[in-house]
Amino acid sequence: MKILFYDTKCYDRESFTRELEQYPDIEVKFLKADLTRNTAELAHGYDAVCAFVNSEIWTETVETLHQNGIRLILMRCAGFNNVDLDTVHRLGIRILRVPGYSPEAVAEHAMGLALTVNRKLHKSYLKVRENDFSLGSLMGFNFYQKTAGIIGTGKIGAAMVRICHGFGMKVIAHDVYENPSLKGIAEYVSLEKLLAESDLVSLHCPLMDNTYHIINRKTIQMMKDGVILVNTSRGALVDTDDLIEGIRAHKFFGVGLDVYEEEAPNVFEDRSDEILEHSVTARLLSFPNVMITSHQGFFTREALSAIARTTLENVRTFESGQESPNDVKPEK
Ligand code: NAI
């Protein structure tokens, strides 16, 4: 089996090369270029392609892959909103993904963001480097015995519930389904009650029509004054303009964002030499109580190994002809 990997960074090449020792029959080539309609024909002579979250796997790309003999698309991520699934299935190409790799990686990052903006670690780091050892503006508050509100208690949200519980917090949660594994640790409440009672609100639901801008002017007003908001899920869960309005109105003690609406051109790119015009990100970064990270919640050694292992196991599944829960099925 010959696989062409698109959009690879050094850490992808390292994690896959390590795991590939267990799969001597798989031959790979790593490309830096992403998969688009222009780069699809590079797949000529390969059996499969491996792509990532920003690849553009639209109709023409899929048709070119098919014309070049590709029978399998391996998504080394959970999402597939960048794929024209109808064309993939119409042309008889199989597509497999990695639905979950390390929920704890994302949940630990969410707590890292919450702690950073609470205890002002981002400011403290810079102050001490300048030999400023004063404590002015660094005061935080104890999470112990405060209330954490977790929106979405699937794999990552449940891990966050357990972390907050470990901090001695009272944990309340909101989800369309209750997660039985959280019985006795979290109490399910309405969204309104969660927003009104939480000192820390952390978002872990997927982006869908009914969760788009779930955090907006109205829901921000429902929150406690001095709340900490953390988003490690998807940028568009939060209406950025309304968030900025809330920050200016001193609603938030702190805001930690691993994802934000405008992130697409930034994700995993070094843009330090560019002048970013009309940037909402720059406006967010101008606030002293906001911490932004670069969609790195998933980025741990364990998660990268799990992604590589599952992707290569997906190749095995394909070769065996068996069905898999990792198959991306056509939408009904
Ligand atoms: P999951 O599917 O296990 O859990 C999502 C939960 O949200 C489910 O329990 C679902 O019932 C719930 N939900 C659906 N609609 C809801 C609503 N209207 N209100 C409240 N809850 C609702 O997903 P998982 O693995 O926990 O991932 C959560 C999100 O984390 C993903 O959708 C993804 O956007 C994000 N993510 C972020 C990463 C990062 O690097 N920052 C990495 C991986 C995922």
Side-chain angles (χ1 to χ4, degrees):
M1 167 71 80
K2 286 178 73 181
I3 308 169
L4 185 63
F5 277 64
Y6 285 91
D7 190 24
T8 61
K9 305 274 194 276
C10 58
Y11 42 83
D12 298 308
R13 297 191 282 271
E14 276 164 27
S15 56
F16 272 94
T17 303
R18 225 178 7 250
E19 294 298 326
L20 274 163
E21 286 174 15
Q22 315 295 323
Y23 300 83
D25 50 322
I26 298 179
E27 195 184 316
V28 308
K29 181 164 180 187
F30 297 116
L31 290 185
K32 284 188 183 166
D34 206 347
L35 175 55
T36 65
R37 66 195 170 106
N38 295 326
T39 58
E41 59 189 35
L42 298 173
H44 184 73
Y46 289 84
D47 306 295
V49 293
C50 181
F52 195 46
V53 282
N54 289 323
S55 305
E56 293 170 11
I57 315 175
W58 304 125
T59 314
E60 280 181 64
T61 311
V62 181
E63 284 169 353
T64 308
L65 291 175
H66 180 251
Q67 283 154 16
N68 283 281
I70 293 300
R71 298 175 289 137
L72 170 66
I73 297 174
L74 297 158
M75 299 303 293
R76 54 176 193 280
C77 54
F80 47 86
N81 54 324
N82 50 337
V83 184
D84 175 357
L85 279 186
D86 287 343
T87 307
V88 168
H89 291 117
R90 178 171 56 79
L91 296 176
I93 298 175
R94 190 161 172 193
I95 174 163
L96 288 148
R97 68 182 180 124
V98 184
Y101 22 97
S102 176
E104 287 75 20
V106 185
E108 287 174 16
H109 190 72
M111 183 46 101
L113 284 170
L115 280 172
T116 300
V117 295
N118 181 351
R119 305 307 297 272
K120 326 266 193 216
L121 304 179
H122 55 310
K123 298 183 79 167
S124 168
Y125 172 75
L126 295 173
K127 274 167 70 112
V128 171
R129 281 171 72 95
E130 296 293 326
N131 292 337
D132 174 359
F133 303 99
S134 66
L135 294 181
S137 78
L138 296 183
M139 194 189 292
F141 65 88
N142 286 9
F143 276 146
Y144 180 62
Q145 292 192 336
K146 297 293 189 312
T147 300
I150 310 301
I151 301 179
T153 52
K155 293 178 284 300
I156 297 170
M160 185 61 173
V161 167
R162 287 190 290 269
I163 290 171
C164 293
H165 180 69
F167 269 65
M169 302 183 83
K170 174 182 174 188
V171 188
I172 56 179
H174 176 71
D175 197 314
V176 284
Y177 302 105
E178 295 197 6
N179 183 334
S181 74
L182 301 177
K183 213 169 176 184
I185 309 181
E187 180 197 344
Y188 281 91
V189 297
S190 67
L191 182 62
E192 291 73 18
K193 188 170 158 68
L194 182 144
L195 296 172
E197 294 186 1
S198 299
D199 302 287
L200 164 64
V201 173
S202 195
L203 305 178
H204 300 285
C205 55
L207 178 62
M208 299 182 304
D209 286 348
N210 67 350
T211 57
Y212 177 77
H213 285 181
I214 191 170
I215 301 300
N216 54 47
R217 181 179 295 155
K218 196 165 144 224
T219 49
I220 289 171
Q221 277 166 1
M222 290 178 192
M223 294 182 192
K224 264 185 169 178
D225 288 342
V227 64
I228 288 178
L229 174 69
V230 170
N231 187 9
T232 55
S233 196
R234 281 292 177 267
L237 294 177
V238 178
D239 182 323
T240 313
D241 289 331
D242 292 357
L243 176 67
I244 289 172
E245 188 182 287
I247 295 169
R248 288 199 168 124
H250 298 268
K251 185 75 185 176
F252 298 96
F253 192 84
V255 176
L257 304 174
D258 190 43
V259 292
Y260 47 96
E261 286 190 291
E262 208 188 44
E263 73 178 38
N266 298 347
V267 169
F268 313 142
E269 299 301 328
D270 178 359
R271 304 185 68 196
S272 52
D273 276 346
E274 291 178 44
I275 293 169
L276 304 181
E277 289 183 34
H278 314 299
S279 169
V280 179
T281 319
R283 215 175 330 146
L284 280 172
L285 284 170
S286 72
F287 300 114
N289 58 345
V290 174
M291 169 85 181
I292 299 185
T293 54
S294 187
H295 206 136
Q296 67 184 70
F298 74 100
F299 196 51
T300 65
R301 232 179 2 235
E302 291 78 1
L304 288 193
S305 295
I307 289 170
R309 216 173 307 126
T310 306
T311 304
L312 296 172
E313 279 305 308
N314 283 343
V315 177
R316 286 265 186 279
T317 305
F318 171 78
E319 284 173 325
S320 72
Q322 286 168 354
E323 292 229 337
S324 161
N326 299 348
D327 269 305
V328 183
K329 299 276 188 198
E331 287 184 49
K332 300 252 157 56

